[in-house]
């Protein structure tokens, strides 16, 4: 009964490929996020959705496209993968409201070769 | 100037020591202050959350906020090997839930 779950846990792929990461939360939260953690462990927000509506888009390349089919799911599709996309991608959710803490999944480790 | 400064460590202490972890920030709009703990190959988990200056205690953990100096701290008393993790400070600036993280401090508590 994991609160925020992501699949796959590991993803190894070649440059130029297209891949997707899926996220689901069973906390009943309204807001979901994608964060990227680079090799230096720095966590940076990429996108945020509130009730399926995009509310934060942090100057992420157009190759990254989030999709929220419903408020419990947020997927991330990445086109034409590049070496620099190698990182750990974390999904998170929160209750909504400007000060609700985020609950994170355990991450998807993406390696582009 | 970075919005958030956090010494990445690593910090190595013996079991039982008092640990002090710190972050400074430059954005006066930050209103809510958090500490997350991240174990290796896991997601960050919320440890402490506060919105006012002063101290907040939870078991062996104390979070301290000084808004006038734009400085927050996390103290861990009687540190245990299980406390070995990366500790990330985090800040909300209001509006939509945009959580800004520090770089994280790696802590190792050795028996």
């Amino acid at each position: 009964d994991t609160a925020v779950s992501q699949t796959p846990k590991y993803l190894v792929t070649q440059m130029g490929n297209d891949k997707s990461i899926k996220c689901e939360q069973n906390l009943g939260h309204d807001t979901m996020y994608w964060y990227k953690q680079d090799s230096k462990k720095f966590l940076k927000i990429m996108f945020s959705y509130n009730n399926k509506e995009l509310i934060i888009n942090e100057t992420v390349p157009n190759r990254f496209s989030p999709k929220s089919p419903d408020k419990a799911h947020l997927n991330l599709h990445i086109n034409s993968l590049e070496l620099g996309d190698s990182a750990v991608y974390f999904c998170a959710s929160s209750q909504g409201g400007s000060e609700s803490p985020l609950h994170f999944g355990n991450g998807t480790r993406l390696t582009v070769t | 100037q970075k919005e958030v400064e956090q010494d990445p460590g690593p910090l190595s202490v013996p079991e039982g020591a008092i640990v002090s972890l710190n972050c400074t920030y430059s954005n006066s709009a930050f209103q809510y202050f958090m500490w997350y703990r991240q174990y290796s190959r896991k997601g960050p988990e919320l440890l402490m959350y506060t919105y006012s200056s002063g101290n907040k205690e939870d078991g062996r953990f104390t979070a301290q906020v000084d808004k006038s100096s734009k400085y927050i701290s996390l103290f861990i008393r009687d540190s245990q090997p299980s406390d070995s993790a990366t500790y990330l400070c985090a800040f909300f600036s209001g509006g939509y839930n945009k959580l800004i993280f520090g770089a994280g401090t790696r802590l190792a508590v050795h028996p």
Side-chain angles (χ1 to χ4, degrees), chain B:
Chain B
Q1 183 189 7
K2 282 186 184 172
E3 221 171 7
V4 178
E5 298 273 5
Q6 182 177 12
D7 187 338
L11 185 60
S12 181
V13 302
E15 185 175 352
I18 296 174
V19 176
S20 171
L21 304 165
N22 312 295
C23 285
T24 58
Y25 62 96
S26 59
N27 190 339
S28 300
F30 286 160
Q31 299 170 12
Y32 302 95
F33 310 92
M34 271 147 281
W35 286 95
Y36 279 79
R37 178 176 60 195
Q38 186 176 19
Y39 290 114
S40 181
R41 307 219 169 229
K42 295 289 186 185
E45 55 176 331
L46 182 68
L47 204 54
M48 299 288 282
Y49 175 41
T50 185
Y51 55 87
S52 57
S53 281
N55 293 351
K56 181 178 180 179
E57 197 172 308
D58 184 0
R60 295 184 295 110
F61 299 90
T62 299
Q64 190 175 77
V65 174
D66 182 346
K67 285 187 181 180
S68 61
S69 302
K70 296 192 179 68
Y71 188 88
I72 69 170
S73 299
L74 178 72
F75 298 97
I76 307 174
R77 287 185 300 282
D78 187 25
S79 55
Q80 304 294 310
S82 58
D83 294 328
S84 298
T86 297
Y87 290 81
L88 302 130
C89 57
F91 305 83
F92 271 136
S93 62
Y96 286 112
N97 301 34
K98 188 172 170 180
L99 194 57
I100 310 294
F101 283 89
T105 299
R106 199 152 48 98
L107 171 67
V109 181
H110 51 87

Side-chain angles (χ1 to χ4, degrees), chain A residues 33 35 37 97-99 102 106, chain B residues 36 38 43 49 95 97-99:
Chain A
Y33 311 79
Y35 273 79
Q37 189 170 46
S98 61
E99 70 280 5
L102 273 60
N106 282 324
Chain B
Y36 279 79
Q38 186 176 19
Y49 175 41
N97 301 34
K98 188 172 170 180
L99 194 57

Side-chain angles (χ1 to χ4, degrees), chain A residues 13-21 60-67 76-83 85 89 110 112:
Chain A
T13 188
Q14 291 184 327
M15 281 174 55
N17 285 348
D18 303 339
K19 289 292 177 187
S20 291
I21 306 171
V60 177
N62 290 339
R63 299 182 294 103
F64 290 80
S65 51
K67 276 200 173 55
L76 183 66
H77 188 76
I78 316 170
N79 288 327
S80 304
L81 278 154
E82 299 177 358
L83 291 176
D85 298 332
Y89 292 85
L110 172 65
V112 182

Side-chain angles (χ1 to χ4, degrees), chain A residues 1-58:
Chain A
D1 57 342
T2 307
V4 181
S5 58
Q6 298 177 227
T7 53
K9 200 170 176 178
Y10 299 96
L11 192 49
V12 181
T13 188
Q14 291 184 327
M15 281 174 55
N17 285 348
D18 303 339
K19 289 292 177 187
S20 291
I21 306 171
K22 295 189 175 186
C23 178
E24 177 182 2
Q25 55 96 3
N26 62 6
L27 296 167
H29 289 165
D30 292 329
T31 308
M32 295 185 73
Y33 311 79
W34 281 111
Y35 273 79
K36 179 180 179 181
Q37 189 170 46
D38 61 25
S39 56
K40 293 184 179 176
K41 300 290 190 184
F42 188 62
L43 259 174
K44 194 163 188 306
I45 189 166
M46 300 173 70
F47 301 104
S48 173
Y49 270 76
N50 180 264
N51 273 321
K52 303 194 296 174
E53 182 186 343
L54 180 67
I55 55 172
I56 295 175
N57 182 342
E58 285 287 302

